[in-house]
Amino acid sequence: MGTLQVTQRRSGNGSDRRQLETLRSLGLRRIGHTVAIDDSPQARGMVHAVRHLVEVREERA
């Protein structure tokens, strides 16, 4: 599998604690911050939980 480039596009303000913790475990800290994470079912599940706050690009290795 490849990697996912995940960028936070919206603020976590007003989100519940679970979504804020998901952003933090993805490594996202602020709007515009991009992280590369390994593509796995667990990572996709976390991205799905905060899909309204992030933008995702797939990178094939």
Side-chain angles (χ1 to χ4, degrees):
M1 295 187 139
T3 60
L4 299 174
Q5 296 289 328
V6 183
T7 304
Q8 185 173 347
R9 288 295 175 200
R10 299 190 66 196
S11 172
N13 291 349
S15 299
D16 63 12
R17 171 183 247 157
R18 199 166 167 190
Q19 291 171 339
L20 294 174
E21 290 174 355
T22 301
L23 285 174
R24 183 65 58 192
S25 40
L26 285 170
L28 296 168
R29 300 184 181 278
R30 61 193 169 276
I31 295 174
H33 190 209
T34 302
V35 294
I37 56 175
D38 291 329
D39 190 4
S40 68
Q42 293 83 6
R44 285 190 179 258
M46 287 194 292
V47 168
H48 182 76
V50 292
R51 65 190 176 276
H52 57 291
L53 303 174
V54 299
E55 179 180 287
V56 181
R57 261 191 8 224
E58 283 189 60
E59 301 276 327
R60 293 288 174 190

